[in-house]
Amino acid sequence: MARMISLLITLLLFIFNLLLWPDIAAGTALTYNVAAHEKACFYAWVDKAYEKVGFYFAVQSGGSFDIDYVVTDPRNKVVINGNRERQGDFIFTANYIGEYSFCFSNDMSTFAEKLVDFEITIENEPRAELPPSKGVTPEQTNNMEESLIRLSGSLSTIARAQKYFRTRENRNFSTVKSTENRIFWFALLESALIVGMAALQVFVVRTFFSTTKRGHV
């Protein structure tokens, strides 16, 4: 029983240390509406060279659900870029210390706005060290830390899957809405054509009988 209590205390201390040292993984998740012909840039600062930088984005609505993007390093060199992409998930190594820019461009659209969900994550290699705890060996601490890291990775995978399904749902909803609008306008046009044909037939019949009466007279 005492061993379980010690393990629980160690777990709580580890979580508390994660909260105290947010530099282990700093992330930013945002939603931005990119107007037509607009170029929107966002920035992230890297404190150490060779850190891992994660960049995820997905177009949720607008036009054909595509957008241009470019990521540049502090020396204004392009790290990754793409044109007319619907979504992307990248991890690259930051070779230089400084400010990295993440830009979205909606130049291809004349009037359509693009709603973009994106996330920028910077992960540092050092980890917070746990304070010594009585009755807990280093192997147990390492095993618990590895289990928590695996759990964090699984939660990140689930979060990415939820974002993917959300993107698919928004796109499918947009397709259904566009199809409903087309059906509505097609039905309206069809009804107008039917009414017009009926009016034309009545006009032709009345004109025919009027001409016939005049001929007999």
Side-chain angles (χ1 to χ4, degrees), residues 5-104:
I5 295 175
S6 299
L7 289 174
L8 181 60
I9 293 174
T10 304
L11 177 62
L12 293 175
L13 288 175
F14 182 75
I15 296 174
F16 181 72
N17 285 331
L18 289 179
L19 296 176
L20 285 180
W21 281 277
D23 292 336
I24 295 178
T28 302
L30 296 172
T31 299
Y32 186 79
N33 195 15
V34 185
H37 302 291
E38 180 185 4
K39 183 178 181 181
C41 293
F42 303 87
Y43 303 92
W45 183 269
V46 176
D47 295 328
K48 298 179 181 179
Y50 307 111
E51 288 183 342
K52 299 297 181 181
V53 180
F55 176 50
Y56 166 83
F57 74 92
V59 182
Q60 300 294 336
S61 64
S64 300
F65 294 91
D66 57 353
I67 200 164
D68 301 338
Y69 68 92
V70 60
V71 179
T72 56
D73 62 11
R75 300 185 178 185
N76 290 327
K77 292 185 178 180
V78 176
V79 180
I80 52 175
N81 64 337
N83 296 323
R84 298 181 179 274
E85 297 289 341
R86 293 190 170 188
Q87 65 184 53
D89 192 356
F90 310 97
I91 297 177
F92 62 91
T93 302
N95 296 322
Y96 307 103
I97 299 175
E99 193 174 57
Y100 286 74
S101 65
F102 304 80
C103 297
F104 298 102

Side-chain angles (χ1 to χ4, degrees), residues 93-214:
T93 302
N95 296 322
Y96 307 103
I97 299 175
E99 193 174 57
Y100 286 74
S101 65
F102 304 80
C103 297
F104 298 102
S105 178
N106 194 19
D107 290 334
M108 81 287 288
S109 297
T110 56
F111 60 89
E113 298 179 346
K114 307 292 179 64
L115 184 64
V116 182
D117 282 351
F118 65 96
E119 182 178 357
I120 301 170
T121 306
I122 300 175
E123 295 181 356
N124 298 332
E125 295 297 335
R127 298 176 183 173
E129 296 183 358
L130 291 174
S133 179
K134 295 182 180 180
V136 181
T137 62
E139 290 93 5
Q140 293 173 341
T141 303
N142 293 332
N143 292 334
M144 185 178 301
E145 183 178 357
E146 291 177 0
S147 299
L148 289 174
I149 292 173
R150 287 196 299 268
L151 181 61
S152 176
S154 300
L155 291 175
S156 299
T157 303
I158 293 173
R160 291 293 175 87
Q162 289 178 339
K163 291 179 180 178
Y164 171 77
F165 287 125
R166 178 189 173 189
T167 302
R168 290 292 301 271
E169 180 183 4
N170 290 336
R171 292 174 183 172
N172 292 337
F173 178 76
S174 178
T175 302
V176 170
K177 187 176 180 180
S178 176
T179 304
E180 288 179 349
N181 290 333
R182 292 180 182 179
I183 293 174
F184 170 77
W185 289 111
F186 178 78
L188 188 63
L189 178 61
E190 186 180 16
S191 301
L193 289 176
I194 292 174
V195 173
M197 288 295 296
L200 181 62
Q201 288 176 356
V202 171
F203 175 76
V204 170
V205 171
R206 290 186 60 181
T207 304
F208 175 75
F209 281 106
S210 298
T211 305
T212 303
K213 284 184 178 181
R214 291 175 184 176

